[in-house]
Amino acid sequence: MDKLIESSKELSINVAEAIPYKNFKEMTKIVEGEVKKNRYIEIWDKAIYSADKWSVKQ
């Protein structure tokens, strides 16, 4: 049981949100806002994927 508790402390879940955009100007505004929030972002196929940055704690 102690091993299960110890290993569960190492697990983490990072959920991303998809934010659609219509044009370049809208995309840049969204990206700027997400960067100000210190979030990890990727831009794919007319959507911006944004998630909290991973933090490694030891």
Side-chain angles (χ1 to χ4, degrees):
M1 184 70 170
D2 289 336
K3 287 184 179 182
L4 178 61
I5 294 170
E6 195 171 302
S7 65
S8 68
K9 290 178 183 176
E10 297 173 11
L11 295 176
S12 61
I13 298 173
N14 199 2
V15 178
E17 62 179 305
I19 307 166
Y21 62 91
K22 295 177 185 168
N23 55 44
F24 184 78
K25 186 175 181 178
E26 185 178 15
M27 180 205 56
T28 56
K29 284 184 178 184
I30 294 168
V31 168
E32 183 180 2
E34 296 301 300
V35 169
K36 284 182 181 179
K37 292 187 235 176
N38 195 30
R39 294 177 57 90
Y40 173 78
I41 58 167
E42 290 186 10
I43 302 169
W44 294 8
D45 301 329
K46 289 290 186 182
I48 299 164
Y49 294 89
S50 175
D52 289 333
K53 288 186 179 180
W54 289 90
S55 61
V56 178
K57 296 179 183 176
Q58 294 180 355

